[in-house]
Amino acid sequence: MFIPMIIGEIRRYLRDNNSIRVSRSLRDTAYKAIHAKELLSKELSREPTIDDIAEKIEIPKEDIVFALDAIQCPISLYDPVYTDGGDTLYVMDQISDKKNREETWVEELSLSDAMKRLNERENYIIKLRFFEGKTQMEVAEEIHISQAQVSRLEKSALKNMKNYLSIGPTCHRGK
């Protein structure tokens, strides 16, 4: 008789005292999944898969994953993961930043430098095609030339850029 009340109080406390508000239905799905996981672990004598849990509680596996993710407590990027005699490894040290890597920065500088070698028309065509995602037909209409001319100019510009990038700037060589 008191067990359902205690469980209800625990759920209410967890729901009301979390820094991120998660809907009751999402929480209920997560708790059902956790309960089913415990039961299945005993029944199967192994760690149940998401498919096992989804089948047991008859909820789509995507909903279960979403619900379990929603009830996770957020952590700080500055939380220590490992400490070895003063050298602390933090969560942020384990996260890769593919957008702002040094190689990307160098590539962008090289690309920018290669584009400066193009004439104004070629530069404009490359920007429209590859930075704005326009088709050759759209570029042709915008700059009032044929699609075939756009194709030839684009091909020539890309060849020039490729040659420049593979050879590199010559201003530092032989001096």
Side-chain angles (χ1 to χ4, degrees), residues 134-156:
K134 294 191 175 187
T135 65
Q136 287 183 349
M137 285 299 294
E138 291 170 330
V139 173
E141 287 174 19
E142 187 167 324
I143 61 174
H144 309 293
I145 62 174
S146 71
Q147 180 272 324
Q149 287 175 299
V150 169
S151 178
R152 279 192 297 276
L153 288 167
E154 177 185 315
K155 188 175 182 178
S156 172

Side-chain angles (χ1 to χ4, degrees), residues 25-128:
S25 62
L26 206 53
R27 268 188 203 286
D28 286 345
T29 299
Y31 293 135
K32 283 180 191 173
I34 291 168
H35 183 68
K37 181 180 177 182
E38 290 171 3
L39 291 175
L40 286 167
S41 292
K42 291 174 187 171
E43 287 175 21
L44 303 172
S45 300
R46 65 171 171 81
E47 186 77 14
T49 65
I50 292 293
D51 289 325
D52 294 333
I53 296 168
E55 187 178 318
K56 176 86 173 172
I57 60 176
E58 298 176 344
I59 294 176
K61 64 182 178 182
E62 294 80 10
D63 292 351
I64 293 170
V65 171
F66 185 68
L68 291 171
D69 284 345
I71 65 166
Q72 295 296 314
C73 292
I75 61 169
S76 168
L77 291 174
Y78 297 99
D79 281 353
V81 176
Y82 174 77
T83 303
D84 181 30
D87 290 339
T88 303
L89 188 63
Y90 297 97
V91 171
M92 70 183 311
D93 298 328
Q94 299 294 299
I95 298 173
S96 135
D97 181 5
K98 292 179 181 161
K99 186 177 179 182
N100 295 310
R101 291 186 321 205
E102 185 175 327
E103 299 88 42
T104 305
W105 179 72
V106 171
E107 287 171 4
E108 286 176 11
L109 284 176
S110 298
L111 181 61
S112 175
D113 206 25
M115 287 189 66
K116 288 177 186 172
R117 304 281 186 244
L118 303 175
N119 67 41
E120 190 176 328
R121 184 182 237 182
E122 288 174 331
N123 195 310
Y124 189 60
I125 289 171
I126 295 298
K127 284 181 181 174
L128 291 175

